[in-house]
Amino acid sequence: MEQNRPNQNTFKKNATFAGGKIISSNRWLDTGLGKIPPQALDLEEAVLGALMIEKDALTNVIDILKPDSFYKEAHQRIYGAITLLFAASEPIDLLTVNNQLKAMGELELAGGTSYLAELTSRVNSAANIEYHARVVAEHSIKRQLISVSSEVQRLAYEDTTDVFQLLDRVEQELFRISESNIRKNYSDMAAIMRSALLELENKKNMKEGLTGVASGFSALDRITSGWQRTELIIIAARPGMGKTALIVSACRNAAVDFGQAVAIFSLEMSSVQLVNRLISAEAELESEKIRKGNLAPHEWAQLHAKIGKLTSAPIFIDDTPALSILELRAKCRRLKAQHDIQMIVIDYLQLMSGDSSGRGGSGNREQEIASISRALKQLAKELDVPVIALSQLSRAVETRGGDKKPQLSDLRESGSIEQDADMVMFIYRPEYYGITQDENGNSVAGVGELIIAKNRAGSLDTVQLRFIGKYTKYCDLDASEYLGMNNDMQSFQHIADPASTFESGGAITLGSRLNNPNANPFGGNTANPSQDVPF
């Protein structure tokens, strides 16, 4: 029995020491003694033989197999030579592969000319090559998973391992395996056309022309038809313009009024602060009172009466600071699977980190932001939801003269944000810069403009909204009411406090025209047409 024991010196040659502990240098040792990694050598040989006897066979498997998909090193080298010939538009057969391996100095490592000839003699055609290739790829995925699992098991036993870094590494490796091996195949025109017609039928049946997630702002939804699936939307503004207020209002409208599940990743504010904003806007109580908890008894009653809808709203808030794009993707996938979220919001883009390794120098920050914006666009396509990311603008806006309206060149830190985004919107409030009237002499107090500066799927326009600072929310600004309030305040004398009516979002109650002897019940005021109340 003694002679069957592994030699201790032999074992030490295959191991390394770390912190007084023996760590295996054999990546497959942790799979269990006596176990062989998943492999299908006969199918690997069949695939390589078929590739060398039929010139068009590679086109069926090149998106399935990579050189490391093969278990045997000789097979990896042969397949690598075949892909090089394909890239150079050279014919692929026994002679060309043999010459390519010889030119690379790898012919002997690949088994020599005799082994290549043996491979071609083992198959008659490439009829089943795609099936064989998929089996080879599946075994390759299993080996990668075993390798990751073995490494995780080893690190989990280490006392010095940071468990959260380990979790991040595991997710990163699993996503890498998934992304590198599972690819969407192409679709023919007939299948795409059927999908397009089905989508058009569904859109026809949608109320109010909404084809995406409603923002709840009528003028904006008329232009965009809602936040569209697979689109990356950037909402940018200078600090203090109300970026968070706008997107919180839009999320509330989508979740409460339209029942769409929304995920908010708040990197700037805590989840409680964000909910306090929602409560202030919903109950129409001043945000300062909410922050201090200084509410009168009737205000407490008002709060509890109005927040019932919020409590059951499908809004999911994550306030993890310095969220990485990897963590974001993992969390969004889980939320999509568990709660079928229809919209993702990030507040805000510049507070994200590109990966777990942290930020580089100032020169690398632009590349990091570029990688984040690309990843957000990929996330929108992968989960088939709109992704809305808030963004800061550079100080160039402040140094400009005139009305200081933002431009696409003002997007901070990276021009790739503008390139990757399907839609870019700017928030602009003239009163922030001390501007009290527009070019027509109308008051701009409490007016916020949403400037659509880029729209791949539609027109560019400017939407006017009402910003209510004390409730930290945005709501619709009816154009006729807005003009009537500025041009002819006399027509609103029957209203006790028009401003509070607008701010509360409530309806205007008018007396019946039938009680007015000078009124035309079907039209304007016959005695004084100029005092018509605008509808």
Side-chain angles (χ1 to χ4, degrees):
M1 294 296 293
E2 292 293 329
Q3 64 183 358
N4 293 328
R5 287 185 180 178
N7 185 290
Q8 191 69 16
N9 294 328
T10 304
F11 176 75
K12 287 184 177 180
K13 279 193 289 185
N14 293 323
T16 56
F17 287 87
K21 298 180 181 180
I22 297 176
I23 300 173
S24 169
S25 62
N26 185 343
R27 60 184 301 191
W28 302 116
L29 188 61
D30 290 336
T31 62
L33 294 174
K35 291 186 178 179
I36 300 175
Q39 55 182 287
L41 292 180
D42 52 342
L43 293 182
E44 290 183 10
E45 293 170 354
V47 167
L48 293 175
L51 291 176
M52 288 187 285
I53 63 173
E54 289 198 17
K55 62 176 184 178
D56 297 327
L58 184 61
T59 57
N60 295 325
V61 301
I62 197 167
D63 59 338
I64 302 172
L65 296 175
K66 300 182 293 297
D68 17 351
S69 299
F70 293 85
Y71 177 70
K72 193 173 180 179
E73 186 179 352
H75 295 168
Q76 294 178 8
R77 296 179 186 279
I78 295 168
Y79 188 75
I82 289 173
T83 55
L84 285 176
L85 288 170
F86 180 79
S89 300
E90 297 289 342
I92 299 168
D93 56 36
L94 175 60
L95 293 177
T96 56
V97 172
N98 185 79
N99 290 337
Q100 180 66 34
L101 286 168
K102 191 182 295 183
M104 295 162 58
E106 296 183 354
L107 181 58
E108 295 304 318
L109 294 173
T113 305
S114 59
Y115 185 65
L116 294 179
E118 186 181 342
L119 290 176
T120 57
S121 65
R122 292 190 178 184
V123 290
N124 295 320
S125 73
N128 301 315
I129 188 171
E130 188 172 346
Y131 173 78
H132 295 161
R134 293 194 184 280
V135 174
V136 170
E138 286 172 11
H139 284 300
S140 173
I141 294 172
K142 288 179 182 179
R143 292 196 300 272
Q144 293 177 64
L145 290 173
I146 290 171
S147 179
V148 170
S149 302
S150 301
E151 184 72 4
V152 170
Q153 186 180 29
R154 182 183 69 79
L155 291 173
Y157 275 107
E158 292 290 335
D159 295 334
T160 57
T161 299
D162 185 312
V163 66
F164 297 106
Q165 287 185 356
L166 179 58
L167 278 173
D168 181 75
R169 180 173 174 180
V170 171
E171 285 191 337
Q172 186 176 6
E173 287 297 316
L174 290 177
F175 289 145
R176 180 188 61 79
I177 293 171
S178 175
E179 290 296 319
S180 61
N181 290 282
I182 302 171
R183 295 287 182 179
K184 182 181 177 184
N185 205 352
Y186 64 87
S187 301
D188 59 25
M189 193 61 185
I192 298 172
M193 188 65 74
R194 282 194 298 271
S195 299
L197 291 175
L198 182 61
E199 188 173 328
L200 283 174
E201 288 289 333
N202 293 334
K203 288 178 179 178
K204 183 186 71 174
N205 299 326
M206 290 180 181
K207 61 179 181 179
E208 299 175 357
L210 287 174
T211 58
V213 178
S215 69
F217 305 126
S218 343
L220 179 62
D221 285 338
R222 277 196 294 270
I223 296 171
T224 63
S225 297
W227 311 115
Q228 298 297 314
R229 293 178 301 172
T230 74
E231 286 194 353
L232 172 61
I233 300 111
I234 300 294
I235 300 178
R238 288 293 294 154
M241 285 289 177
K243 296 187 298 295
T244 305
L246 176 73
I247 201 59
V248 165
S249 298
C251 288
R252 179 264 167 210
N253 296 339
V256 174
D257 296 338
F258 296 90
Q260 304 280 359
V262 177
I264 304 176
F265 293 88
S266 178
L267 286 77
E268 186 177 32
M269 302 172 64
S270 71
S271 56
V272 173
Q273 289 175 318
L274 211 58
V275 168
N276 282 341
R277 285 201 173 198
L278 280 165
I279 292 172
S280 173
E282 188 72 12
E284 294 177 351
L285 296 170
E286 293 184 24
S287 57
E288 189 172 346
K289 287 186 176 183
I290 297 286
R291 186 168 60 250
K292 295 179 179 178
N294 186 21
L295 298 177
H298 73 277
E299 289 175 324
W300 279 108
Q302 180 180 339
L303 184 149
H304 287 292
K306 291 196 173 183
I307 64 171
K309 290 182 179 178
L310 275 183
T311 305
S312 57
I315 300 175
F316 305 92
I317 301 175
D318 185 305
D319 59 0
T320 305
L323 189 68
S324 73
I325 192 65
L326 178 69
E327 293 171 322
L328 175 71
R329 183 180 296 178
K331 291 180 177 185
C332 288
R333 281 173 169 168
R334 286 195 289 268
L335 283 168
K336 183 67 175 178
Q338 295 171 7
H339 303 287
D340 193 25
I341 55 171
Q342 299 298 309
M343 184 167 74
I344 298 168
V345 172
I346 296 106
D347 182 16
Y348 59 91
L349 184 64
Q350 280 77 16
L351 290 178
M352 291 191 68
S353 59
D355 52 41
S356 58
S357 62
R359 297 180 182 179
S362 59
N364 293 329
R365 182 56 181 163
E366 288 189 9
Q367 296 176 5
E368 188 175 12
I369 290 292
S371 69
I372 290 171
S373 65
R374 282 194 300 271
L376 291 179
K377 175 59 182 175
Q378 291 167 2
L379 181 65
K381 292 187 68 178
E382 178 187 342
L383 299 184
D384 195 31
V385 297
V387 173
I388 303 175
L390 305 189
S391 176
Q392 292 282 17
L393 291 177
S394 66
R395 291 190 180 92
V397 180
E398 313 292 341
T399 59
R400 273 202 304 269
D403 56 13
K404 300 184 186 298
K405 287 189 176 182
Q407 304 169 0
L408 286 172
S409 58
D410 296 325
L411 283 169
R412 187 174 168 185
E413 288 187 310
S414 178
S416 65
I417 298 176
E418 173 191 345
Q419 296 169 14
D420 295 327
D422 297 280
M423 186 179 294
V424 178
M425 299 181 180
F426 297 122
I427 304 174
Y428 171 70
R429 290 195 295 116
E431 63 179 342
Y432 182 87
Y433 297 107
I435 301 172
T436 58
Q437 292 182 333
D438 62 16
E439 58 274 11
N440 298 321
N442 298 318
S443 172
V444 292
V447 175
E449 294 183 3
L450 194 56
I451 303 167
I452 304 175
K454 178 185 178 182
N455 187 5
R456 277 184 181 149
S459 60
L460 307 182
D461 209 335
T462 298
V463 175
Q464 287 190 327
L465 302 171
R466 177 160 291 280
F467 175 68
I468 308 170
K470 63 181 180 180
Y471 301 149
T472 59
K473 77 170 184 178
Y474 278 86
C475 59
D476 275 332
L477 173 66
D478 189 288
S480 59
E481 290 175 349
Y482 170 65
L483 293 174
M485 185 175 66
N486 284 283
N487 295 334
D488 191 4
M489 289 301 295
Q490 300 300 319
S491 61
F492 289 88
Q493 286 179 351
H494 59 283
I495 304 173
D497 184 4
S500 66
T501 303
F502 280 116
E503 290 182 350
S504 67
I508 299 175
T509 305
L510 302 177
S512 171
R513 293 187 179 218
L514 296 176
N515 296 328
N516 183 353
N518 295 322
N520 176 0
F522 303 102
N525 188 320
T526 55
N528 188 356
S530 65
Q531 292 189 5
D532 285 349
V533 178
F535 285 92

